[in-house]
Amino acid sequence: AQSVTQLDSQVPVFEEAPVELRCNYSSSVSVYLFWYVQYPNQGLQLLLKYLSGSTLVKGINGFEAEFNKSQTSFHLRKPSVHISDTAEYFCAVSDRGTGFQKLVFGTGTRLLVSP
Amino acid sequence: GAVVSQHPSRVICKSGTSVKIECRSLDFQATTMFWYRQFPKQSLMLMATSNEGSKATYEQGVEKDKFLINHASLTLSTLTVTSAHPEDSSFYICSAFPQTEAFFGQGTRLTVV
């Protein structure tokens, strides 16, 4: 079964500093990859997705992620964070064979941006 | 983007009562919707897949008699937590896919006292 690992449960960072949130997935089969952001007591909002094509994916709010098939990773990056980026970030994957609808989520990384 | 609306956003109920949560796709039709449960500071766990006009598909370990799912129309799925107990307290989120991207409801915080 597919699994997603987000090694960092919490990442503290100062405002305007760069940040990388790590995500690794287990399956060697072809996958779709997603990053979502969740603000307190709210649903999830899609930051970016990789379906096919270029391995560097750009998303909203200045985030980007790079799909690395050999390392089965999809790390999320932002060159300069803002206070408003403080939130929970979830990496998710779905197998191409079962379609993009059945998502498996990582345990999440809490990004804490301080002044 | 597409809009998925979930109601209520917050509910407190007494132990032993039932609670219904609605998930609506406002600007698209959804033959399939998904229900997730999220415990505090944990990830989302898929509970079940709601299928319009047919029975829901439940994930392993999810009690279908406790978590009743109805998908009566192409824009509405409901999750009813029956005979709720304090351990059912959680954040429940629904999602739907108009195309290749999941859109999530704003979630329902259920507290059973």
Side-chain angles (χ1 to χ4, degrees):
Chain A
Q2 186 68 261
S3 68
V4 178
T5 302
Q6 291 181 248
L7 286 174
D8 305 305
S9 59
Q10 188 166 293
V11 173
V13 64
F14 288 110
E15 192 174 20
E16 297 184 4
V19 70
E20 178 179 82
L21 306 183
R22 296 180 292 171
C23 172
N24 288 87
Y25 61 96
S26 64
S27 178
S28 61
V29 300
S30 295
V31 295
Y32 299 116
L33 295 157
F34 307 83
W35 273 100
Y36 288 89
V37 60
Q38 184 182 34
Y39 298 99
N41 292 312
Q42 293 188 30
L44 277 69
Q45 180 183 10
L46 181 70
L47 280 177
L48 46 79
K49 61 185 176 185
Y50 171 79
L51 303 181
S52 64
S54 174
T55 56
L56 182 62
V57 180
K58 293 189 182 295
I60 63 171
N61 301 340
F63 285 94
E64 64 178 32
E66 184 156 20
F67 169 53
N68 189 317
K69 187 176 181 179
S70 62
Q71 297 186 7
T72 59
S73 68
F74 191 55
H75 301 332
L76 180 71
R77 295 190 292 258
K78 186 169 183 177
S80 177
V81 295
H82 301 289
I83 296 287
S84 58
D85 292 324
T86 295
E88 192 84 21
Y89 292 80
F90 291 97
C91 180
V93 62
S94 64
D95 288 336
R96 290 184 184 233
T98 56
F100 48 79
Q101 297 192 5
K102 201 161 187 179
L103 295 171
V104 175
F105 286 87
T107 50
T109 297
R110 179 167 297 278
L111 177 63
L112 294 171
V113 183
S114 54
Chain B
V3 179
V4 175
S5 177
Q6 193 172 335
H7 178 80
S9 59
R10 187 179 295 268
V11 59
I12 301 173
C13 71
K14 291 184 178 181
S15 186
T17 62
S18 295
V19 173
K20 180 184 285 187
I21 303 170
E22 293 186 346
C23 180
R24 294 180 184 273
S25 57
L26 297 186
D27 50 0
F28 65 97
Q29 294 182 331
T31 55
T32 305
M33 291 185 176
F34 299 85
W35 287 96
Y36 294 84
R37 182 174 181 177
Q38 184 180 28
F39 291 101
K41 298 184 179 181
Q42 293 188 32
S43 188
L44 285 77
M45 299 298 295
L46 180 64
M47 298 175 64
T49 303
S50 174
N51 303 299
E52 188 269 334
S54 64
K55 291 183 178 180
T57 305
Y58 290 82
E59 296 300 304
Q60 191 173 8
V62 177
E63 300 176 61
K64 58 182 67 177
D65 293 332
K66 167 167 272 298
F67 299 101
L68 299 179
I69 291 174
N70 183 274
H71 197 147
S73 77
L74 288 171
T75 60
L76 174 64
S77 173
T78 60
L79 168 68
T80 301
V81 183
T82 63
S83 187
H85 292 286
E87 57 265 30
D88 298 325
S89 297
S90 191
F91 194 59
Y92 295 86
I93 308 176
C94 67
S95 76
F97 285 74
Q99 293 182 1
T100 62
E101 175 182 336
F103 286 87
F104 288 82
Q106 54 269 66
T108 298
R109 170 75 59 193
L110 171 63
T111 303
V112 185
V113 297

